Amino acid sequence: MADENQPKQVKSRERVQKHGEVFTAPREVNAMLDLVKNETERLDSRFLEPACGDGNFLVEILRRKLAVASSNYQKHQSQLQYEKDAILAISSIYGIDILPDNAQECRVRLLEIFKEQYQSLFPKSCKPECLTSAEFLLSKNIILGDALTYRRIDNPQEWIIISEWSMLPSGMMNRRDYEFSYLVGDSSADDLFSDLPCQTFAPQPFLNLNAQAYGE
């Protein structure tokens, strides 16, 4: 008998037939992520799910990263440091999906997890700008697009753009934009999602700017 409390792996037969959409169950998600456990617990380790669905993998990655941010807070008791850690965690998570409802649901799920922990730790001192920053980052990092054609679904003339975020000492986020096709092409073995040291072509950003994603 099916467990009604478990997330559904299939939304409809039509979606399976048309898009091959079957969601990975939580048990399998956690088993796979445990294979790279150390990376899931690094706040700055970037993860990209090119067919993210409504976010089963990304949700669990964010939970693990926020657990690290919470543990750091318990040690240092600094709300500002927690906020920077949490923003860094959410900025490191990327997803692409071809279905609008999946992309939107993924953003909503990730933001709710972020809000839930933030508000539980700081029920009287939550900063609206921190939540706004998280929502902004998700609007950029969870993309409605086709990872096979490298183009956006909402505007097929546009390439998918991946934004690289890094925290500056001031508390602002530095943003560099890359075309997704260059990051996954054969000439780009050294990319935003690799920790392997190698002397290969590194894609150059076409936009480099400071974004007020989160500041003091």
Side-chain angles (χ1 to χ4, degrees), residues 159-200:
W159 296 106
I160 292 173
I161 301 301
I162 299 292
S163 296
E164 175 192 24
W165 307 93
S166 56
M167 185 73 71
L168 299 176
S170 66
M172 295 181 66
M173 297 291 285
N174 187 64
R175 170 184 166 189
R176 295 193 295 178
D177 286 349
Y178 299 85
E179 288 185 6
F180 177 60
S181 58
Y182 287 110
L183 296 181
V184 298
D186 292 338
S187 62
S188 176
D190 185 15
D191 59 43
L192 299 183
F193 303 96
S194 173
D195 287 326
L196 298 176
C198 50
Q199 297 298 318
T200 58

Side-chain angles (χ1 to χ4, degrees), residues 64-80:
R64 294 181 181 211
K65 286 173 173 280
L66 290 181
V68 173
S70 178
S71 177
N72 290 343
Y73 169 69
Q74 301 302 328
K75 296 176 183 177
H76 304 293
Q77 296 294 307
S78 167
Q79 178 174 342
L80 179 59

Side-chain angles (χ1 to χ4, degrees), residues 20 26 45 49 52 62 66 70 96 110 123 130 134 142 146 161 171 196 212:
S45 182
E49 174 54 75
C52 67
L62 181 59
L66 290 181
S70 178
I96 301 171
L110 291 167
C130 184
I142 308 302
D146 187 335
I161 301 301
L196 298 176
Q212 187 67 42

Side-chain angles (χ1 to χ4, degrees), residues 131-169:
L131 295 174
T132 299
S133 297
E135 186 173 11
F136 172 75
L137 288 166
L138 290 173
S139 75
K140 297 296 184 183
N141 285 13
I142 308 302
I143 300 163
L144 179 59
D146 187 335
L148 297 178
T149 66
Y150 312 132
R151 294 185 181 275
R152 296 188 64 94
I153 295 297
D154 48 351
N155 189 346
Q157 303 304 313
E158 289 187 13
W159 296 106
I160 292 173
I161 301 301
I162 299 292
S163 296
E164 175 192 24
W165 307 93
S166 56
M167 185 73 71
L168 299 176

Side-chain angles (χ1 to χ4, degrees), residues 13 17 34 51 55 87 101 147 165 170 204:
R13 182 178 299 177
Q17 293 174 339
D34 283 343
I87 288 293
D101 61 333
W165 307 93
S170 66
Q204 295 300 310

Side-chain angles (χ1 to χ4, degrees), residues 28-40 47 57 64:
E28 284 72 31
V29 167
N30 280 289
M32 294 172 71
L33 292 178
D34 283 343
L35 297 175
V36 288
K37 186 174 184 293
N38 290 341
E39 293 302 311
T40 65
F47 284 83
F57 276 95
R64 294 181 181 211

